[in-house]
Amino acid sequence: MELFRLACGMPKIRLGRMDLNRQAMEEMARVMAREEVDLALFPEGTLTGHTVGDLSGQEFFCQRAWEEAESLADRTQDLDLALVFGLPLISGGGAYWAMVLAYRGDLIVLGKRGPEPPEESPFFLEEAGHTFKSLSLASISDDQAARLSPDRISEATDLFLLAQARPFLPGKAKARRKALEVLTADGLALAMVSACPGESTTDRVYSTQALIAENGHILAEKKEGEGEGFIYADLDPFLLKKARERYRSRLLLPRVQTDTEEEMDPPFHQTTSRTYPKHPFLPEDEEGLEETLSIQALGLAQRMSAIGTRDVWIGISGGLDSTLALLVALRTFNRLGLEGKGIHAVSMPAFGSSEKTKGNARKLARSLDLDFREIDLEEVLRIHFRDIGLEEGDRSLAFENAQARERTQILFDLANLHGGLVLGTGDLSEIALGWATYNGDQMSSYGVNASIPKTLARALVRYEADSFREKGEEELARVLLDVVETPVSPELLPPKDGEIAQKTEEIIGPYDLHDFFLYYFALYGAGPRRILDYADRAFEEYSRKEILACLRIFYDRFFKNQFKRSAMPDGPQASPVSLSPRGNWTMASDLDGRVFLEEVDALLEGEK
């Protein structure tokens, strides 16, 4: 019985270090050869790193990549193993990512993807003079994979190779498994690899998933976050051929014909029973919450490894966002095998801090056995106010923002003094609404919550509380749940009767609504009228007028605060929406959003 052993490999890479990456590929290839692998598929950016940005269009860089690819082909020519991997090339005046085949010392370009539309027919390996154990192979792009079906491809092709970097997002791993099962159901095999561990986590954490599917079944899988390594599976060309024949015979069955040529408009309904989830950012299950936290931790782990630090500094207030960042840091340190004392939790109470949040900050740090220090800011702030001429009793934005900026300055100075990076705590909801102090809590070394909206942050902290409770850590679970139930507040104005004076949702509206607006606005480009209709179906507790009033605040703040997003620090995308200016959300800081506000005002007028 003749089988074909296929492997998908993901070595740990160093971004831009083609020499080291070539060595890692060679070492993995030799292990694969000992396992009698026939062909190994590596991710698109294994040699250089996929996230090298504009370097992939520089002639010198591409030339060095090609030289290392040739070296890899030469150094593995003694192996009875073919390697397929990607690298950036410049040809004919254009730059593109190409898949290449290294076999018996030869290096052959298989296909490319770039600004030109992908070709309908993929490049077949047998055209290059290589056929492996009667199994015909083709390298394809993501676009071509979406169009795969046995009736649209060459009858000779059995196996498709798909290597293209994708962001690691909750739920997508499950969706990719299902997609490959569907794509290969009728006599195809498909191998998919995404990206190697070691890619930049500046704005996204890249998937490290690999899958091998045949005839609608997943034969092997490398799951998200598993680190470097490879998987392999034995494909059966006979089963593929017979499944294809069975599919094609079904295509020849007689079809029911109709004689009518009448055209009809589809009956769209203006009313429907469909509803929309109140919290669209929340994953469907706990697996999705776990994946979200994993993305955050993987992003931070890569950033710490890249700069060579074992310490992070976090300003903890006892509030939701800083608590989530603290939990992510803890997961990261566990992943890296580091002691928790490298997590430095700094409480910096000032004029608006309540006893409740100060107490929760202390309990959290001590329950987790972290390095904890408390620095009271009132005295230094009074000196600062005198220096800048802020009068006693002034409660303007200058009074509020000075506290946030002082906290940020202290954290960066501590990180400089003792080493480490400042962990950002700001979340996606605050970034969208500009509810952060520019060059205050808006700034950090790395923002792990950058794509986590408030509604999702609450769910994540509650999930972690349940996890600690299952481990018997009841006190820590109680503190985390108390944090979740505490009203969201910047705590920059003095408490009233010992209670929090500033409750954010009383000022700008419920985060349930703002997150709902953001999801459909940023992800789908829905306009005000459609968002209103969606929200009206989702939220029985708010009238249309209340929804519109909050929607107006959303648009007003969103467009006025783009300048803060233009200067936001790096952070991983761990939800469907990211507002990073580096490719996720591009918008001029001085763009006028009046057209949105006018539409909302017209809708409000109609509700009178």
Side-chain angles (χ1 to χ4, degrees):
M1 186 171 65
E2 194 172 52
L3 300 178
F4 181 90
R5 181 159 291 183
L6 171 71
C8 293
M10 292 181 175
K12 173 82 171 178
I13 65 167
R14 286 278 299 278
L15 201 58
R17 287 298 304 273
M18 292 167 274
D19 55 338
L20 298 180
N21 299 337
R22 186 257 305 151
Q23 292 175 21
M25 291 177 71
E26 181 186 346
E27 290 171 5
M28 185 169 284
R30 294 195 175 279
V31 177
M32 290 174 172
R34 289 197 291 272
E35 295 290 340
E36 298 184 341
V37 168
D38 295 304
L39 182 139
L41 175 65
F42 290 89
E44 184 175 64
T46 310
L47 256 187
T48 60
H50 178 78
T51 48
V52 291
D54 289 344
L55 285 177
S56 64
Q58 293 190 358
E59 186 172 354
F60 170 77
F61 190 80
C62 290
Q63 180 62 34
R64 288 289 294 112
W66 182 258
E67 290 170 1
E68 290 295 347
E70 287 184 317
S71 175
L72 178 64
D74 181 63
R75 296 170 69 90
T76 57
Q77 63 178 305
D78 61 314
L79 304 179
D80 189 18
L81 167 67
L83 308 178
V84 176
F85 55 95
L87 75 167
L89 291 179
I90 291 182
S91 177
Y96 57 88
W97 284 91
M99 296 303 293
V100 298
L101 168 75
Y103 184 65
R104 296 297 191 191
D106 292 332
L107 187 64
I108 304 162
V109 177
L110 300 180
K112 67 179 183 179
R113 67 176 182 87
E116 306 88 11
E119 297 176 2
E120 280 295 322
S121 59
F123 188 105
F124 296 104
L125 296 193
E126 65 262 30
E127 294 178 14
H130 297 296
T131 304
F132 299 91
K133 291 189 176 179
S134 76
L135 193 67
S136 300
L137 314 151
S139 173
I140 60 171
S141 69
D142 219 4
D143 310 67
Q144 292 165 325
R147 300 195 298 269
L148 277 185
S149 67
D151 56 326
R152 294 198 62 188
I153 59 174
S154 165
E155 193 168 344
T157 308
D158 303 291
L159 169 64
F160 290 86
L161 307 175
L162 174 58
Q164 201 161 327
R166 300 166 183 78
F168 178 10
L169 294 174
K172 293 298 184 183
K174 189 184 298 184
R176 282 193 286 268
R177 286 197 296 271
K178 185 65 178 176
L180 259 64
E181 289 171 347
V182 172
L183 284 171
T184 61
D186 293 302
L188 297 179
L190 198 151
M192 185 213 81
V193 290
S194 184
C196 292
E199 291 285 358
S200 171
T201 57
T202 295
D203 290 311
R204 293 175 173 178
V205 173
Y206 278 87
S207 167
T208 55
Q209 187 181 25
L211 292 163
I212 300 174
E214 176 198 75
N215 282 337
H217 300 287
I218 303 298
L219 302 183
E221 177 179 8
K222 182 178 178 296
K223 295 183 178 179
E224 304 278 23
E226 286 187 348
E228 61 186 305
F230 68 90
I231 58 171
Y232 65 82
D234 291 327
L235 304 182
D236 191 327
F238 175 81
L239 292 180
L240 286 167
K241 180 174 180 290
K242 291 302 178 184
R244 189 91 49 80
E245 289 174 357
R246 189 169 61 250
Y247 175 83
R248 293 186 186 282
S249 68
R250 291 202 303 270
L251 294 182
L252 299 176
L253 292 175
R255 286 174 167 72
V256 177
Q257 302 292 327
T258 59
D259 297 326
T260 178
E261 295 181 1
E262 181 180 355
E263 293 184 1
M264 297 178 60
D265 291 327
F268 290 115
H269 299 287
Q270 295 302 314
T271 58
T272 176
S273 60
R274 174 167 175 168
T275 59
Y276 295 84
K278 291 182 180 181
H279 304 123
F281 280 100
L282 265 59
E284 294 180 355
D285 49 32
E286 289 190 348
E287 182 182 349
L289 295 173
E290 181 67 29
E291 285 184 331
T292 302
L293 289 162
S294 295
I295 294 169
Q296 293 177 273
L298 281 165
L300 178 57
Q302 171 60 22
R303 179 50 56 95
M304 291 178 64
S305 298
I307 65 177
T309 187
R310 302 165 70 89
D311 293 82
V312 295
W313 295 82
I314 313 174
I316 59 168
S317 63
L320 182 67
D321 294 338
S322 61
T323 297
L324 177 58
L326 194 66
L327 294 170
V328 170
L330 187 67
R331 278 175 167 258
T332 304
F333 273 61
N334 289 338
R335 175 178 290 275
L336 294 175
L338 301 177
E339 294 184 6
K341 290 297 183 182
I343 303 173
H344 308 282
V346 186
S347 174
M348 294 168 280
F351 304 106
S353 303
S354 66
E355 289 302 320
K356 178 185 176 83
T357 53
K358 285 191 290 187
N360 279 342
R362 295 182 193 117
K363 291 174 187 174
L364 274 174
R366 288 168 183 165
S367 296
L368 295 170
D369 194 27
L370 309 176
D371 173 40
F372 175 72
R373 57 193 74 192
E374 188 170 297
I375 302 173
D376 194 298
L377 299 187
E378 290 194 16
E379 182 181 353
V380 70
L381 284 169
R382 286 193 177 94
I383 295 171
H384 177 62
F385 292 152
R386 287 199 301 271
D387 289 343
I388 66 172
L390 186 75
E391 295 182 2
E392 188 76 26
D394 187 313
R395 295 296 180 263
S396 64
L397 279 177
F399 173 83
E400 294 186 37
N401 289 341
Q403 297 172 67
R405 292 194 180 102
E406 186 63 30
R407 289 177 174 129
T408 301
Q409 173 181 270
I410 287 171
L411 287 171
F412 273 103
D413 289 346
L414 283 168
N416 284 161
L417 181 63
H418 301 289
L421 56 81
V422 176
L423 199 60
T425 60
D427 65 46
L428 178 64
S429 304
E430 295 177 344
I431 291 168
L433 297 169
W435 196 255
T437 299
Y438 190 72
N439 210 32
D441 53 319
Q442 171 255 355
M443 186 49 59
S444 66
S445 303
Y446 193 72
V448 291
N449 294 339
S451 72
I452 306 296
K454 275 283 193 291
T455 48
L456 179 53
R458 288 180 179 132
L460 292 171
V461 174
R462 188 177 284 113
Y463 169 74
E464 288 289 67
D466 292 341
S467 298
F468 282 115
R469 176 165 286 153
E470 289 175 2
K471 298 173 187 175
E473 300 184 48
E474 286 286 341
E475 178 60 27
L476 179 55
R478 278 196 294 271
V479 176
L480 292 175
L481 291 175
D482 193 39
V483 168
V484 172
E485 299 301 324
T486 300
V488 176
S489 171
E491 292 197 317
L492 297 174
L493 293 177
K496 292 180 179 178
D497 303 323
E499 298 295 323
I500 295 172
Q502 281 175 300
K503 295 181 180 178
T504 302
E505 292 178 287
E506 292 180 359
I507 302 170
I508 62 173
Y511 276 118
D512 283 359
L513 285 177
H514 283 299
D515 289 355
F516 186 92
F517 301 156
L518 177 64
Y519 182 84
Y520 289 103
F521 169 70
L523 195 59
Y524 294 102
R529 189 180 298 273
R530 182 174 293 276
I531 290 176
L532 170 63
D533 288 342
Y534 287 170
D536 192 37
R537 295 181 186 281
F539 296 95
E540 295 179 356
E541 59 268 42
Y542 301 115
S543 68
R544 286 173 69 88
K545 193 171 181 180
E546 288 173 322
I547 293 169
L548 281 168
C550 191
L551 185 58
R552 196 183 198 287
I553 293 172
F554 171 81
Y555 282 124
D556 186 49
R557 295 195 63 92
F558 186 89
F559 287 103
K560 285 180 178 177
N561 287 282
Q562 174 64 21
F563 74 99
K564 295 180 183 178
R565 294 189 288 271
S566 294
M568 66 184 283
D570 297 349
Q573 182 178 351
S575 83
V577 173
S578 169
L579 296 176
S580 164
R582 295 167 292 271
N584 291 92
W585 185 265
T586 304
M587 189 175 86
S589 295
D590 51 359
L591 187 145
D592 192 333
R594 190 174 311 168
V595 64
F596 291 89
L597 295 174
E598 288 176 350
E599 176 74 2
V600 173
D601 288 340
L603 292 168
L604 275 167
E605 187 67 27
E607 292 298 318
K608 289 183 180 179

